[in-house]
mmCIF file of all heavy atoms in Angstrom:
data_model
loop_
_atom_site.group_PDB
_atom_site.id
_atom_site.type_symbol
_atom_site.label_atom_id
_atom_site.label_comp_id
_atom_site.label_asym_id
_atom_site.label_seq_id
_atom_site.Cartn_x
_atom_site.Cartn_y
_atom_site.Cartn_z
ATOM 1 N N ILE A 40 9.585 10.165 17.223
ATOM 2 C CA ILE A 40 8.628 9.126 16.836
ATOM 3 C C ILE A 40 7.436 9.036 17.798
ATOM 4 O O ILE A 40 6.346 8.597 17.425
ATOM 5 C CB ILE A 40 9.374 7.772 16.692
ATOM 6 C CG1 ILE A 40 8.489 6.687 16.058
ATOM 7 C CG2 ILE A 40 9.953 7.295 18.005
ATOM 8 C CD1 ILE A 40 8.316 6.875 14.597
ATOM 9 N N GLN A 122 13.870 25.299 -9.530
ATOM 10 C CA GLN A 122 15.176 25.033 -10.177
ATOM 11 C C GLN A 122 15.481 23.538 -10.189
ATOM 12 O O GLN A 122 16.209 23.049 -11.020
ATOM 13 C CB GLN A 122 16.319 25.709 -9.392
ATOM 14 C CG GLN A 122 16.274 27.216 -9.344
ATOM 15 C CD GLN A 122 16.707 27.844 -10.653
ATOM 16 O OE1 GLN A 122 17.741 27.466 -11.186
ATOM 17 N NE2 GLN A 122 15.894 28.736 -11.193
ATOM 18 N N TRP A 176 -7.435 27.654 -5.895
ATOM 19 C CA TRP A 176 -6.064 28.031 -6.233
ATOM 20 C C TRP A 176 -5.993 29.547 -6.212
ATOM 21 O O TRP A 176 -6.795 30.223 -6.864
ATOM 22 C CB TRP A 176 -5.702 27.485 -7.613
ATOM 23 C CG TRP A 176 -4.316 27.847 -8.029
ATOM 24 C CD1 TRP A 176 -3.147 27.447 -7.421
ATOM 25 C CD2 TRP A 176 -3.929 28.670 -9.132
ATOM 26 N NE1 TRP A 176 -2.066 27.978 -8.072
ATOM 27 C CE2 TRP A 176 -2.512 28.739 -9.126
ATOM 28 C CE3 TRP A 176 -4.629 29.361 -10.116
ATOM 29 C CZ2 TRP A 176 -1.791 29.457 -10.079
ATOM 30 C CZ3 TRP A 176 -3.904 30.080 -11.069
ATOM 31 C CH2 TRP A 176 -2.511 30.125 -11.040
ATOM 32 N N MET A 188 -1.970 35.804 5.124
ATOM 33 C CA MET A 188 -1.452 36.882 5.979
ATOM 34 C C MET A 188 -2.483 38.019 6.091
ATOM 35 O O MET A 188 -2.753 38.518 7.194
ATOM 36 C CB MET A 188 -0.138 37.406 5.387
ATOM 37 C CG MET A 188 0.467 38.557 6.151
ATOM 38 S SD MET A 188 1.865 39.266 5.255
ATOM 39 C CE MET A 188 1.001 40.243 4.016
ATOM 40 N N VAL A 200 -11.866 45.522 17.070
ATOM 41 C CA VAL A 200 -13.130 46.287 17.098
ATOM 42 C C VAL A 200 -14.120 45.639 18.068
ATOM 43 O O VAL A 200 -14.895 46.338 18.726
ATOM 44 C CB VAL A 200 -13.776 46.505 15.695
ATOM 45 C CG1 VAL A 200 -12.979 47.523 14.904
ATOM 46 C CG2 VAL A 200 -13.961 45.235 14.910
ATOM 47 N N GLU A 218 -24.027 40.122 30.787
ATOM 48 C CA GLU A 218 -25.081 40.799 30.050
ATOM 49 C C GLU A 218 -24.624 41.050 28.609
ATOM 50 O O GLU A 218 -25.388 40.904 27.650
ATOM 51 C CB GLU A 218 -25.376 42.129 30.777
ATOM 52 C CG GLU A 218 -26.607 42.882 30.319
ATOM 53 C CD GLU A 218 -27.883 42.042 30.347
ATOM 54 O OE1 GLU A 218 -28.011 41.152 31.206
ATOM 55 O OE2 GLU A 218 -28.744 42.296 29.469
ATOM 56 N N SER A 232 -23.192 38.839 12.027
ATOM 57 C CA SER A 232 -23.081 37.399 12.224
ATOM 58 C C SER A 232 -21.732 36.860 11.740
ATOM 59 O O SER A 232 -21.387 36.973 10.565
ATOM 60 C CB SER A 232 -24.226 36.710 11.472
ATOM 61 O OG SER A 232 -24.001 35.330 11.490
ATOM 62 N N HIS A 311 -8.855 63.832 32.423
ATOM 63 C CA HIS A 311 -9.815 64.935 32.227
ATOM 64 C C HIS A 311 -11.027 64.496 31.409
ATOM 65 O O HIS A 311 -11.455 65.190 30.486
ATOM 66 C CB HIS A 311 -9.147 66.147 31.558
ATOM 67 C CG HIS A 311 -8.110 66.778 32.419
ATOM 68 N ND1 HIS A 311 -8.393 67.364 33.630
ATOM 69 C CD2 HIS A 311 -6.776 66.882 32.255
ATOM 70 C CE1 HIS A 311 -7.280 67.813 34.182
ATOM 71 N NE2 HIS A 311 -6.284 67.521 33.368
ATOM 72 N N ARG A 326 -23.013 48.891 18.049
ATOM 73 C CA ARG A 326 -23.134 47.814 17.059
ATOM 74 C C ARG A 326 -22.860 48.352 15.650
ATOM 75 O O ARG A 326 -22.114 47.763 14.867
ATOM 76 C CB ARG A 326 -24.527 47.178 17.102
ATOM 77 C CG ARG A 326 -24.664 45.944 16.211
ATOM 78 C CD ARG A 326 -26.115 45.451 16.151
ATOM 79 N NE ARG A 326 -26.963 46.308 15.354
ATOM 80 C CZ ARG A 326 -27.052 46.259 14.012
ATOM 81 N NH1 ARG A 326 -26.352 45.377 13.345
ATOM 82 N NH2 ARG A 326 -27.841 47.098 13.370
ATOM 83 N N LEU A 327 -23.427 49.497 15.356
ATOM 84 C CA LEU A 327 -23.239 50.065 14.017
ATOM 85 C C LEU A 327 -21.790 50.513 13.796
ATOM 86 O O LEU A 327 -21.236 50.345 12.706
ATOM 87 C CB LEU A 327 -24.212 51.234 13.804
ATOM 88 C CG LEU A 327 -25.677 50.802 13.640
ATOM 89 C CD1 LEU A 327 -26.612 51.988 13.794
ATOM 90 C CD2 LEU A 327 -25.889 50.129 12.278
ATOM 91 N N PRO A 396 -22.327 49.028 -4.280
ATOM 92 C CA PRO A 396 -23.628 49.574 -3.866
ATOM 93 C C PRO A 396 -24.150 49.002 -2.546
ATOM 94 O O PRO A 396 -24.606 49.770 -1.686
ATOM 95 C CB PRO A 396 -24.545 49.209 -5.034
ATOM 96 C CG PRO A 396 -23.612 49.117 -6.207
ATOM 97 C CD PRO A 396 -22.289 48.636 -5.676
ATOM 98 N N GLU A 400 -24.448 51.814 0.868
ATOM 99 C CA GLU A 400 -25.691 52.071 1.606
ATOM 100 C C GLU A 400 -25.589 51.655 3.058
ATOM 101 O O GLU A 400 -25.969 52.392 3.965
ATOM 102 C CB GLU A 400 -26.830 51.277 0.971
ATOM 103 C CG GLU A 400 -27.602 52.062 -0.045
ATOM 104 C CD GLU A 400 -28.623 51.183 -0.736
ATOM 105 O OE1 GLU A 400 -29.385 50.492 -0.024
ATOM 106 O OE2 GLU A 400 -28.621 51.175 -1.982
ATOM 107 N N ALA A 405 -24.768 53.624 8.901
ATOM 108 C CA ALA A 405 -24.077 53.498 10.191
ATOM 109 C C ALA A 405 -23.342 54.782 10.585
ATOM 110 O O ALA A 405 -22.976 54.951 11.746
ATOM 111 C CB ALA A 405 -23.082 52.340 10.125
ATOM 112 N N VAL A 413 -17.577 57.435 18.346
ATOM 113 C CA VAL A 413 -16.178 57.864 18.420
ATOM 114 C C VAL A 413 -16.069 59.124 19.280
ATOM 115 O O VAL A 413 -15.193 59.223 20.151
ATOM 116 C CB VAL A 413 -15.573 58.060 17.008
ATOM 117 C CG1 VAL A 413 -14.204 58.735 17.089
ATOM 118 C CG2 VAL A 413 -15.454 56.717 16.291
#
Side-chain angles (χ1 to χ4, degrees):
I40 190 75
Q122 296 285 311
W176 179 64
M188 178 188 78
V200 287
E218 190 54 32
S232 171
H311 294 297
R326 187 187 73 82
L327 288 165
E400 266 174 50
V413 170

